Amino acid sequence: MSTSPFDLTGTLAVVTGAKRGIGFAMAEALAAAGADIIGVSATLEASGSAIEQRVTALGRSFTARAVDFADRAAVLEFAGWLEGLERPVDVLVNNAGTIERAPAAVHPLDSWDRVLEVNLSSQFVLSQAVGRSMLARGRGKIIFTVSLLSFQGGVTVPGYAASKSAIAGLTRALSNEWAGQGVTVNAIAPGYIATDNTQALQDDADRSRSILERIPAGRWGRADDLGGATVFLASSAADYVSGIVLPVDGGWLGR
């Protein structure tokens, strides 16, 4: 029997936005540490997805759920499904997110509304439902994905910056209420990670160069750079860690 505080054998983790990028890497890392996975994404295949294949290759079970996080009713339905499971959720990773780019003066209001719904409101709805069950059992781990724009304003992404700043605040608010009842709530702030969400920046030679010049690590991050932080915050090693935003940014914020 393992005595490692990072061993997640026997736990059930829900990872939203698990189909690709950071969510894929988080789900993979949790499975490698022993967790069974419920993977969630708006377009996740019912079976045969790349993340399912990776998780099952690691010897863990995988359940796929397709949920549109812009649809409040769909999120509530999914939350109810989780509450009805015989096996409780031990770890909730709120990673699903979206970004809409347009200058603030002409930023479409429907883009603003959609980003806030996906990145903020749906996260609270799901955390509230799963959190109730965790509180009843007196244990659980909730992990949000925030952003460097939880600390900075960004350019032409007002909804994204606002939502990610708000999630940092929500992390602290939930922690204040729940940490004393055995439920830790933390967030991870990825730096500039080479994923679909940052493709526009990667394709802009000037922006990409200026970003790279500021990263002390000397490279863009990879999705799998987030795995260790995710496993740590999901594990018993972090039982006395709550209400933090942990940057994984190659030193960007320290520059």
Side-chain angles (χ1 to χ4, degrees), residues 163-234:
S163 64
K164 291 299 187 178
S165 296
I167 286 293
L170 180 61
T171 297
R172 293 186 285 268
L174 295 181
S175 174
N176 288 344
E177 292 194 39
W178 296 352
Q181 300 177 68
V183 179
T184 65
V185 185
N186 293 291
I188 296 172
Y192 283 93
I193 309 297
T195 65
D196 293 349
N197 267 2
T198 60
Q199 194 62 55
L201 297 177
Q202 296 173 67
D203 292 342
D204 184 325
D206 291 337
R207 286 293 305 281
S208 182
R209 182 174 58 255
S210 67
I211 288 168
L212 188 60
E213 287 173 348
R214 182 177 161 170
I215 301 173
R219 64 172 175 85
W220 280 68
R222 300 182 300 269
D224 60 11
D225 287 321
L226 283 300
T230 305
V231 171
F232 166 61
L233 293 176

Side-chain angles (χ1 to χ4, degrees), residues 9-254:
T9 301
T11 63
L12 178 63
V14 174
V15 182
T16 70
K19 184 173 181 177
R20 62 183 187 273
I22 289 172
F24 187 112
M26 288 173 154
E28 180 181 22
L30 292 170
D36 296 316
I37 305 295
I38 297 174
V40 193
S41 186
T43 59
L44 186 62
E45 300 92 332
S47 63
S49 66
I51 185 57
E52 177 180 2
Q53 292 177 44
R54 184 62 188 137
V55 169
T56 55
L58 289 165
R60 311 315 309 170
S61 70
F62 183 87
T63 302
R65 295 284 297 189
V67 179
D68 180 358
F69 286 89
D71 182 343
R72 178 72 60 84
V75 175
L76 286 166
E77 180 181 359
F78 174 59
W81 178 81
L82 288 175
E83 289 181 294
L85 293 177
E86 291 185 9
R87 185 179 180 185
V89 174
D90 300 291
V91 179
L92 170 62
V93 180
N94 283 303
N95 171 72
T98 191
I99 191 166
E100 299 279 351
R101 299 181 185 277
V106 295
H107 200 85
L109 293 182
D110 59 347
S111 293
W112 169 273
D113 289 342
R114 181 173 185 276
V115 169
L116 267 290
E117 185 65 33
V118 173
N119 292 5
L120 177 60
S121 296
S122 72
Q123 314 269 335
F124 176 70
V125 169
L126 191 54
S127 298
Q128 183 184 56
V130 175
R132 279 194 295 260
S133 175
M134 290 178 171
L135 291 167
R137 300 193 318 275
R139 65 182 186 278
K141 307 280 186 176
I142 297 177
I143 303 167
F144 291 96
T145 299
V146 292
S147 168
L148 291 182
L149 299 193
S150 299
F151 305 93
Q152 302 167 336
V155 179
T156 72
V157 287
Y160 185 83
S163 64
K164 291 299 187 178
S165 296
I167 286 293
L170 180 61
T171 297
R172 293 186 285 268
L174 295 181
S175 174
N176 288 344
E177 292 194 39
W178 296 352
Q181 300 177 68
V183 179
T184 65
V185 185
N186 293 291
I188 296 172
Y192 283 93
I193 309 297
T195 65
D196 293 349
N197 267 2
T198 60
Q199 194 62 55
L201 297 177
Q202 296 173 67
D203 292 342
D204 184 325
D206 291 337
R207 286 293 305 281
S208 182
R209 182 174 58 255
S210 67
I211 288 168
L212 188 60
E213 287 173 348
R214 182 177 161 170
I215 301 173
R219 64 172 175 85
W220 280 68
R222 300 182 300 269
D224 60 11
D225 287 321
L226 283 300
T230 305
V231 171
F232 166 61
L233 293 176
S235 74
S236 63
D239 281 349
Y240 200 60
V241 178
S242 195
I244 69 159
V245 175
L246 174 61
V248 182
D249 65 355
W252 172 281
L253 288 173

